[in-house]
């Protein structure tokens, strides 16, 4: 009975994996690896299965009664069928995922277009004046844009990898280069702004009395000299005008 339960557990675990439908290239790779492991383990269980059948045959001959192994035999046959059909199932699922990849490309292009239009409407505009509060809000908004863009980049990377796997021509993503380059330009500008105020805030942590009597004055002068030079060599933009005030 213990051997039968062991075999049943092996069949249960194997069938769950063999009947699952991979939903991505990564899952297909994982499913293949699991099927190879199941096939390797099956060889160990074949001997145990045969022993159960032989013992049952002996019991039937001696006592006229044996263990109820009919259910296990049916499950083992179904397990064999599922294992042998695994490659066909994977090929079928590949075709399904290939068709879904085309849909994902169209969906991602739509998302890129919407993101581009939203960026054009909401991106930081080149301004001659801006108060500190608005500048800080703009800086935080740029971080949100970066998070959104990273999500899109991940989707693009995954779809590109899937296209390569399925032998599909690499897709053309509309607005990708324009959005990426414009976002990077604005991000660099507002990162410069954040860096300035981060260093300034570090100087401001020291109380004024200690600052004025110690090395604070010299540190502040070094800070100003460094940033005056860095701002001077920047191309004209909103951040440069802000920091020149």
């Amino acid at each position: 009975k213990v051997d039968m339960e062991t075999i049943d557990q092996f069949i249960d675990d194997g069938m769950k994996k063999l009947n699952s439908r991979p939903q991505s290239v990564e899952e297909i790779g994982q499913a293949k690896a699991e099927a190879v492991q199941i096939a390797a383990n099956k060889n160990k269980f074949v001997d145990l299965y045969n022993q159960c059948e032989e013992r049952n045959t002996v019991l039937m001959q001696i006592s006229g009664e044996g263990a109820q192994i009919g259910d296990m035999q049916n499950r083992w046959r179904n397990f064999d069928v599922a294992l042998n059909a695994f490659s066909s199932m994977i090929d079928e699922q590949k075709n399904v995922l290939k068709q879904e990849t085309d849909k994902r490309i169209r969906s991602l292009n739509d998302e890129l277009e919407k993101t581009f239009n939203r960026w054009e409407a909401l991106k930081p505009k080149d301004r001659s004046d801006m108060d500190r509060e608005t500048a800080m809000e703009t800086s935080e908004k740029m971080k949100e844009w970066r998070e959104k863009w990273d999500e899109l980049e991940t989707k693009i990377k995954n779809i590109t990898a899937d296209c390569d796997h399925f032998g599909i021509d690499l897709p053309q993503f509309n607005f990708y280069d324009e959005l990426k380059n414009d976002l990077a330009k604005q991000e660099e500008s507002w990162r410069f702004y954040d860096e300035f105020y981060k260093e300034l805030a570090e100087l401001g942590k020291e109380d004024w009395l200690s600052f004025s009597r110690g090395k604070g004055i010299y540190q502040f002068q070094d800070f100003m000299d460094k940033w005056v030079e860095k701002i001077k060599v920047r191309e004209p933009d909103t951040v440069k005008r802000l920091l020149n005030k």
Side-chain angles (χ1 to χ4, degrees):
K1 183 177 179 181
V2 173
D3 288 344
M4 290 174 59
E5 290 176 352
T6 302
I7 293 171
D8 278 338
Q9 186 61 53
F10 170 69
I11 293 173
D12 283 342
D13 293 342
M15 290 297 281
K16 285 178 183 177
K17 294 174 180 177
L18 293 172
N19 288 331
S20 66
R21 294 275 174 170
Q23 299 300 313
S24 67
V25 172
E26 291 78 11
E27 289 184 12
I28 286 177
Q30 181 181 349
K32 285 182 175 180
E34 289 175 345
V36 169
Q37 189 62 51
I38 290 170
N41 290 339
K42 179 194 169 188
N43 294 330
K44 304 174 187 176
F45 281 89
V46 166
D47 290 339
L48 191 60
Y49 176 82
N50 289 336
Q51 289 171 17
C52 287
E53 286 196 320
E54 288 170 4
R55 283 199 298 267
N56 194 60
T57 299
V58 171
L59 283 172
M60 289 288 292
Q61 291 172 347
I62 294 174
S63 64
E65 293 184 3
Q68 300 297 318
I69 67 171
D71 182 58
M72 183 188 73
Q73 290 172 322
N74 288 332
R75 282 160 51 76
W76 185 267
R77 282 192 289 270
N78 291 336
F79 171 72
D80 257 341
V81 170
L83 186 57
N84 292 330
F86 176 79
S87 294
S88 297
M89 184 275 286
I90 287 295
D91 288 339
E92 179 184 331
Q93 194 63 10
K94 277 185 177 180
N95 289 330
V96 171
L97 292 177
K98 187 174 181 179
Q99 294 172 2
E100 289 181 354
T101 297
D102 292 334
K103 296 177 182 177
R104 287 165 59 208
I105 291 171
R106 291 194 295 272
S107 176
L108 184 52
N109 259 321
D110 288 342
E111 187 176 359
L112 272 168
E113 182 175 1
K114 290 176 182 177
T115 302
F116 175 80
N117 291 335
R118 186 167 176 265
W119 167 254
E120 285 295 299
L122 301 176
K123 70 179 181 180
K125 301 300 188 290
D126 191 16
R127 297 171 54 171
S128 58
D129 65 323
M130 182 185 289
D131 59 51
R132 175 77 190 283
E133 182 180 353
T134 303
M136 294 299 291
E137 289 175 358
T138 302
S139 177
E140 289 303 310
K141 286 291 184 183
M142 286 306 304
K143 295 181 179 66
E144 294 175 11
W145 279 109
R146 166 49 57 186
E147 290 178 5
K148 174 62 177 176
W149 180 251
D150 285 346
E151 291 175 6
L152 286 171
E153 285 268 53
T154 298
K155 291 180 181 180
I156 290 170
K157 180 180 178 181
N158 290 339
I159 286 181
T160 301
D162 288 353
C163 287
D164 184 60
H165 179 84
F166 293 128
I168 302 173
D169 291 338
L170 295 181
Q172 296 295 320
F173 292 110
N174 303 324
F175 306 103
Y176 173 80
D177 289 332
E178 187 174 354
L179 181 54
K180 179 180 180 179
N181 294 335
D182 199 15
L183 180 62
K185 181 180 178 182
Q186 288 284 354
E187 191 175 26
E188 186 281 328
S189 187
W190 288 98
R191 190 185 299 116
F192 186 85
Y193 176 86
D194 287 341
E195 186 182 344
F196 172 85
Y197 275 103
K198 182 179 179 181
E199 289 190 24
L200 182 61
E202 285 296 319
L203 290 174
K205 288 180 179 178
E206 193 172 358
D207 68 87
W208 172 247
L209 187 60
S210 300
F211 183 84
S212 59
R213 289 182 177 179
K215 297 180 181 180
I217 295 295
Y218 301 106
Q219 291 174 340
F220 184 73
Q221 187 60 54
D222 290 342
F223 167 80
M224 290 302 298
D225 291 343
K226 180 182 76 172
W227 278 96
V228 164
E229 187 60 31
K230 290 178 74 170
I231 293 169
K232 184 190 299 183
V233 298
R234 279 189 67 82
E235 292 293 325
D237 63 2
T238 299
V239 168
K240 182 171 183 174
R241 285 188 286 272
L242 274 171
L243 298 180
N244 268 331
K245 282 186 177 182

